[in-house]
């Protein structure tokens, strides 16, 4: 069902290879000495093969071995107990009241990021095949639909089996011990923080997770790499404010710490996302990207534990610093855009910090309501697409959504720009809407700081409960009438078929130049994109086969229609289709070959 993961089954993540493991029929229990889950499996692995050891295999670590590892890491090894177990009457944890509360809170990101194993894309918690094991709280025998379910017991499915709760006091040591144990016992290793990953990279059946969530240290300081830059021809020094963020820091925490310093740090629109992991390592877009580039463009240094490599004289994992100037410059390049949890286990990152700035914010919404002909609404959508270049070119970033009969911009922002100037950039769109007779609601507001804008206009984001795909939409497609018409037709077809179109419009080339970003491995196609687009269909908690059908439609209908319009184009690694054809060039572009070489250099045995 799933294609091999990119870069040696690793750049996307071996988590996609769900068919290499099967579901557990029992759950791990305390104490640690008894943490050997019982499994019914029809597939086994062999320690002498390329497969990982999974619970039930002879090569799977014994209870005493897990216990010794737990002692080594200070008793912070966690056995996974799926959150949904309280909804299955045959489970000893069953509690109808707790189940009702869990279902009520399931859409909240905190429900998942506070747990060491839960993932927000439930598809990747499911075991292999339509009947694979799982512990979805909506699919228990007390299903809220009232439908009789034959699921009295839940299983761990494809959630991680154990997690190491990394500690700030010993983060580097925890990372080294965990990588060493996983290598020694041929156990699948997953690096995770919040569980946000849409493509399943924060989970994996039969795996040991390095859970970075509680690494929250943030430090601000003056940074100057002039001496290093002077030694390298053509490289520009950075001299200014910087912040070091530990691996578990989330956007809300980074923003709050920066606000207290009168500074701004780059971060996504969803404030519960982790900054340091897949977000920045995968590129990291933001409404700030037209002004200061991507998350990866902010990186000055990485602190990272790289896997052991006996063949190259490194029998143990090592903690190293990777910068654009030192002996690990290639690792710096790969970590900055090549994907999270792939080249090493990042302990912390040092990024640029910007002086806070006044910000203009805007919203716009129109619909097909009251129109005699829905085709008029579609023309309004085209008017919006054609107006995007003029908006993002003043430094604005725009998040917008398209449903069957509604287009909503929420929000748009432009740093260092007045609301009157932002409104002027929107005028060509609004004039066309007026000409079409389309009523719309809009707002344009000045804020004294970026943080005031965030507090007023960035809503708390819930879990994206969807089957999803994505595509980078090139600017050239909306600057010509024929291209804009075809794009409008394709997006409207997705929305009319029950899909949701969303994403962020920015001028990344502008932002990267202004930020003087160091060379990195972000897909070069980002610079020519006007829209980092995503599209999706709702996730069905009660019928897993329906999700297989939905994902087929995402790949072979919705995705195919946009690929036809953008031949040789790309998609954002963090918001793409896990079944993406030609994933090497689509996600990595011309960087794939070099990334693969760096992967093989720093992780020759494919631990990550």
């Amino acid at each position: 069902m799933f294609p091999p993961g990119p870069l040696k089954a690793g750049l996307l993540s071996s988590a996609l290879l769900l068919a290499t493991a099967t579901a557990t029929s029992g759950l791990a229990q305390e104490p640690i000495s008894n943490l050997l889950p019982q499994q019914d499996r029809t597939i086994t692995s062999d320690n002498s093969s390329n497969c990982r050891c999974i619970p039930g295999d002879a090569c799977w670590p014994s209870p005493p071995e897990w216990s010794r590892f737990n002692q080594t890491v200070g008793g912070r090894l966690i056995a996974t107990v799926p959150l949904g177990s309280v909804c299955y009457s045959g489970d000893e944890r069953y509690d109808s009241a707790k189940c009702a509360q869990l279902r009520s809170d399931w859409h909240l990101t905190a429900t998942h990021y506070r747990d060491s194993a839960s993932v927000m894309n439930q598809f990747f918690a499911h075991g292999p095949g339509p009947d694979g094991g799982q512990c979805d709280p909506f699919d228990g025998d007390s299903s809220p639909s009232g439908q009789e379910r034959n699921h009295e017991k839940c299983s761990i499915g494809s959630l991680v089996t154990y997690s190491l709760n990394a500690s700030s006091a010993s983060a580097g040591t925890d990372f080294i011990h965990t990588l060493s144990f996983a290598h020694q016992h041929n156990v699948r290793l997953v690096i995770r923080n919040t569980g946000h990953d849409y493509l399943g990279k924060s989970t994996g059946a039969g795996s040991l997770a390095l859970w970075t969530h509680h690494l929250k240290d943030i430090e601000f300081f003056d940074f100057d790499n002039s001496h290093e830059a002077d030694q390298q021809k053509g490289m520009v020094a950075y001299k200014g404010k910087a912040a070091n963020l530990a691996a578990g820091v989330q956007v809300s925490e980074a923003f709050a710490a920066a606000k207290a310093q009168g500074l701004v740090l780059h971060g996504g629109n969803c404030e519960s996302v982790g900054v340091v992991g897949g977000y920045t390592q995968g590129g990291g877009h933001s409404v700030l990207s037209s002004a200061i580039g991507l998350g990866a463009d902010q990186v000055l240094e990485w602190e990272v534990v790289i896997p052991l490599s006996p063949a190259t004289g490194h029998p143990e994992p090592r903690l190293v610093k990777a910068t654009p100037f030192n002996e690990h410059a290639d690792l710096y390049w790969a970590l900055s855009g090549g994907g999270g949890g792939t080249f090493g286990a990042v302990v912390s990152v040092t990024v640029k910090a910007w002086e806070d700035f006044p910000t203009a914010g805007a919203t716009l919404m129109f619909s097909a309501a009251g129109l005699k002909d829905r085709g008029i609404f579609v023309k309004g959508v085209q008017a919006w697409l054609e107006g995007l270049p003029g908006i993002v070119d003043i430094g604005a970033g725009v998040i917008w959504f398209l449903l069957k009969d509604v287009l909503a911009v929420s929000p748009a922002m432009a740093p260092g720009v007045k609301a009157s100037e932002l409104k002027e950039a929107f005028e060509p769109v609004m004039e066309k809407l007026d000409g079409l007779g389309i009523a719309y609601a809009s707002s344009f507001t000045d804020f004294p700081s970026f943080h005031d804008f965030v507090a007023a206009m960035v809503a708390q984001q819930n879990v994206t409960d969807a089957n999803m795909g994505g595509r980078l939409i090139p600017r050239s497609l909306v600057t010509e009438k024929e291209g804009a018409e075809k794009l409008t037709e394709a997006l409207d077809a997705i929305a009319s078929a029950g899909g949701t179109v969303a994403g962020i419009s920015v001028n990344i080339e502008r932002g990267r130049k202004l930020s003087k970003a160091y060379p990195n491995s972000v897909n070069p196609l980002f610079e020519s994109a006007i829209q980092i687009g995503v599209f999706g269909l709702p996730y069905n908690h009660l019928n897993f086969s329906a999700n297989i059908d939905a994902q087929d439609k995402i790949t072979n209908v919705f995705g195919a229609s946009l690929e036809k319009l953008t031949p040789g184009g790309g998609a954002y690694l963090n918001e793409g289709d896990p079944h993406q054809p030609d994933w090497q060039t689509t996600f990595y572009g011309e960087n794939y070959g070099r990334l693969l070489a760096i992967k093989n250099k720093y992780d020759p045995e494919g631990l990550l």
Side-chain angles (χ1 to χ4, degrees):
M1 180 173 64
F2 296 100
L7 296 197
K8 202 177 178 181
L11 276 195
L12 264 183
S13 167
S14 56
L16 294 182
L17 306 179
L18 298 184
T20 63
T22 56
T24 58
S25 60
L27 298 174
Q29 305 287 321
E30 296 287 357
I32 289 291
S33 60
N34 295 325
L35 292 183
L36 182 60
Q38 301 299 310
Q39 282 199 316
D40 291 328
R41 299 181 302 101
T42 57
I43 302 173
T44 63
S45 64
D46 188 303
N47 201 26
S48 63
S49 74
N50 290 326
C51 297
R52 299 296 182 199
C53 297
I54 57 177
D57 284 343
C59 59
W60 180 255
S62 65
E65 287 172 320
W66 283 111
S67 182
R68 285 193 294 271
F69 175 57
N70 186 46
Q71 293 172 9
T72 300
V73 295
R76 284 176 283 107
L77 187 64
I78 301 171
T80 293
V81 175
L83 294 176
S85 60
V86 296
C87 295
Y88 290 73
S89 61
D91 194 286
E92 63 184 32
R93 302 170 189 82
Y94 176 71
D95 186 311
S96 60
K98 289 182 178 179
C99 177
Q101 187 63 53
L102 179 65
R103 288 170 176 162
S104 176
D105 295 343
W106 194 253
H107 68 290
L108 301 176
T109 59
T111 299
H112 306 277
Y113 70 65
R114 291 171 179 163
D115 186 77
S116 63
S118 189
V119 292
M120 298 186 200
N121 186 339
Q122 195 62 26
F123 185 89
F124 291 103
H126 199 282
D131 298 320
Q134 55 144 356
C135 201
D136 190 318
F138 297 95
D139 199 34
D141 57 331
S142 57
S143 169
S145 68
Q147 179 181 356
E148 285 294 325
R149 315 292 293 176
N150 188 28
H151 299 149
E152 292 184 359
K153 292 185 178 181
C154 79
S155 73
I156 199 171
S158 288
L159 298 179
V160 300
T161 304
Y162 300 106
S163 299
L164 185 279
N165 185 7
S167 166
S168 292
S170 56
T173 302
D174 284 347
F175 282 40
I176 289 171
H177 284 317
T178 304
L179 267 65
S180 293
F181 182 87
H183 177 268
Q184 178 184 353
H185 295 282
N186 193 30
V187 173
R188 181 188 225 169
L189 179 66
V190 168
I191 301 172
R192 58 174 282 124
N193 176 8
T194 63
H196 263 282
D197 194 275
Y198 294 138
L199 277 74
K201 291 176 282 187
S202 51
T203 194
S207 63
L208 167 64
L210 179 55
W211 190 33
T212 66
H213 184 63
H214 293 106
L215 303 178
K216 300 295 190 181
D217 294 340
I218 302 175
E219 179 185 3
F220 291 90
F221 49 89
D222 294 319
F223 187 92
D224 184 358
N225 60 9
S226 300
H227 177 72
E228 292 87 349
D230 288 344
Q231 309 302 311
Q232 305 243 1
K233 186 177 180 179
M235 297 292 275
V236 178
Y238 177 79
K239 187 175 182 179
K241 294 293 184 181
N244 181 263
L245 309 177
V249 172
Q250 293 167 268
V251 171
S252 59
E253 296 159 342
F255 280 7
K259 179 181 179 181
Q261 300 287 326
L263 299 171
V264 171
L265 293 176
H266 193 287
N269 194 55
C270 181
E271 293 193 7
S272 61
V273 167
V275 179
V276 182
Y279 176 76
T280 297
Q281 292 176 54
H285 64 58
S286 162
V287 288
L288 291 167
S289 291
S290 293
I292 59 174
L294 296 166
D297 297 327
Q298 314 306 308
V299 177
L300 299 167
E301 297 178 348
W302 295 100
E303 186 183 19
V304 56
V305 173
I306 54 177
L308 68 170
S309 177
T312 59
H314 298 290
E316 298 293 337
R318 294 173 291 148
L319 179 64
V320 304
K321 181 181 290 186
T323 81
F325 308 107
N326 69 4
E327 69 271 27
H328 299 300
D330 56 347
L331 182 58
Y332 166 91
W333 180 87
L335 288 168
S336 306
T342 300
F343 306 95
V346 170
V347 178
S348 72
V349 66
T350 299
V351 295
K352 300 173 184 177
W354 304 83
E355 295 293 335
D356 202 352
F357 33 71
T359 301
T363 62
L364 174 69
M365 185 177 74
F366 60 91
S367 74
L371 298 175
K372 293 182 179 180
D373 181 359
R374 187 179 174 277
I376 297 174
F377 169 75
V378 177
K379 289 181 179 179
V381 174
Q382 182 176 335
W384 167 248
L385 295 173
E386 292 173 337
L388 282 172
I391 297 172
V392 301
D393 286 354
I394 67 167
V398 187
I399 295 174
W400 58 277
F401 307 84
L402 175 65
L403 303 176
K404 182 176 183 294
D405 291 321
V406 176
L407 188 147
V409 178
S410 180
M413 68 82 72
V417 171
K418 293 186 178 299
S420 58
E421 297 173 285
L422 185 55
K423 183 178 181 180
E424 184 178 350
F426 271 74
E427 284 292 352
V429 176
M430 295 189 292
E431 289 175 0
K432 289 182 179 179
L433 295 179
D434 288 334
L436 291 166
I438 299 175
Y440 57 88
S442 63
S443 67
F444 300 90
T445 308
D446 283 309
F447 296 95
S449 76
F450 169 74
H451 296 290
D452 291 318
F453 158 79
V454 171
M457 297 195 71
V458 178
Q460 179 177 333
Q461 301 292 303
N462 291 326
V463 172
T464 301
D465 218 9
N467 298 287
M468 195 175 77
R471 194 73 177 172
L472 298 177
I473 305 300
R475 182 188 182 101
S476 59
L477 204 56
V478 302
T479 55
E480 298 179 1
K481 189 173 184 60
E482 182 181 357
E485 288 177 349
K486 290 182 178 180
L487 177 60
T488 302
E489 181 181 348
L491 298 183
D492 180 58
I494 294 172
S496 297
T500 298
V501 176
I504 181 168
S505 290
V506 284
N507 184 334
I508 290 173
E509 182 179 22
R510 178 186 189 275
R512 299 184 90 179
K513 286 179 179 177
L514 291 174
S515 70
K516 298 179 180 179
Y518 292 117
N520 59 39
S521 57
V522 170
N523 189 332
L525 292 174
F526 268 85
E527 290 201 357
S528 59
I530 191 73
Q531 171 80 352
I532 305 168
V534 295
F535 44 89
L537 289 165
Y539 184 85
N540 191 320
H541 287 270
L542 301 178
N543 183 352
F544 190 73
S545 294
N547 296 309
I548 302 296
D549 294 339
Q551 294 207 1
D552 180 74
K553 192 170 187 178
I554 290 291
T555 303
N556 297 311
V557 180
F558 295 172
S561 68
L562 293 178
E563 288 170 21
K564 184 178 180 180
L565 284 179
T566 58
Y572 180 29
L573 177 62
N574 287 337
E575 295 176 354
D577 178 358
H579 316 115
Q580 175 65 50
D582 192 25
W583 48 261
Q584 298 95 327
T585 54
T586 300
F587 290 131
Y588 307 106
E590 64 188 37
N591 293 333
Y592 179 79
R594 185 181 175 194
L595 284 167
L596 179 59
I598 295 170
K599 169 70 173 176
N600 289 333
K601 174 183 176 181
Y602 285 98
D603 186 20
E605 299 188 14
L607 180 63
L608 297 171

